[in-house]
Amino acid sequence: MGRAAEMIGTTQSFLRAIGEARLITPLRSEGGHRRYSRYQLRIAARARELVDQGTPIEAACRIIVLEDQLEEAQRTNAECRRAAETATPPPAA
């Protein structure tokens, strides 16, 4: 946890706080140490940015969840558009 906090320029208590807010859930090693994925570290860094800008931690976590949902919806819409374009039959002559 200490190394993860150092990598993104935050504190261990901040990582614990966003874990308690269920923004990220690190895996645990056999020794009980928290293990963060690169994706989780990116999410934690984004949360840190928002908090540094004055956003309360709970609001920062909600913003990040909504950003992820929006990105997923946009990706799904783009896939549906591509599928519809390739499935459209040519106009009748």
Side-chain angles (χ1 to χ4, degrees), residues 28-48:
R28 295 280 184 152
S29 69
E30 289 183 23
H33 299 282
R34 289 175 178 90
R35 301 287 183 194
Y36 297 92
S37 68
R38 288 185 177 131
Y39 174 75
Q40 289 173 329
L41 291 176
R42 281 196 311 271
I43 294 294
R46 175 70 176 127
R48 179 83 258 166

Side-chain angles (χ1 to χ4, degrees), residues 5-53:
E6 183 181 307
M7 287 173 64
I8 61 170
T10 192
T11 63
Q12 293 181 25
S13 62
F14 180 78
L15 290 176
R16 276 190 219 94
I18 61 174
E20 289 170 9
R22 294 193 175 111
L23 181 61
I24 58 174
T25 305
L27 297 176
R28 295 280 184 152
S29 69
E30 289 183 23
H33 299 282
R34 289 175 178 90
R35 301 287 183 194
Y36 297 92
S37 68
R38 288 185 177 131
Y39 174 75
Q40 289 173 329
L41 291 176
R42 281 196 311 271
I43 294 294
R46 175 70 176 127
R48 179 83 258 166
E49 288 173 17
L50 290 169
V51 169
D52 287 347
Q53 294 170 4

